[in-house]
Amino acid sequence: MAVMEKLKIFVVQEPVVAASCLIAGFGLFLPSVVRPILDSMDSSKQVPQPALRDISNPCIQFQDYI
């Protein structure tokens, strides 16, 4: 029995498991392809962190704009 026939039988008998395996394979494949592309585009530069006082008390920030 050929591999493709066994695969077809598996998909027909266990569609949820087959779909889960497909999603998992896609999830494992994406980082190995997308990360090098992003690195080559220099879009992964570090973003400067905001000051801690700006994060810790947003009410004060809002009052500055009023």
Side-chain angles (χ1 to χ4, degrees):
M1 189 178 275
V3 175
M4 290 303 290
E5 289 180 35
K6 287 185 179 182
L7 186 61
K8 287 179 186 178
I9 292 171
F10 176 70
V11 170
V12 169
Q13 289 179 346
E14 300 288 343
V16 175
V17 176
S20 178
C21 291
L22 184 67
I23 292 169
F26 189 68
L28 291 173
F29 173 75
L30 264 180
S32 64
V33 173
V34 173
R35 190 71 220 172
I37 294 171
L38 290 177
D39 289 342
S40 69
M41 292 173 34
D42 289 334
S43 65
S44 60
K45 293 180 181 176
Q46 290 288 337
V47 177
Q49 291 185 343
L52 185 59
R53 64 180 170 82
D54 294 341
I55 298 171
S56 61
N57 201 348
C59 295
I60 293 174
Q61 279 184 323
F62 183 70
Q63 290 174 358
D64 291 341
Y65 293 113
I66 296 178

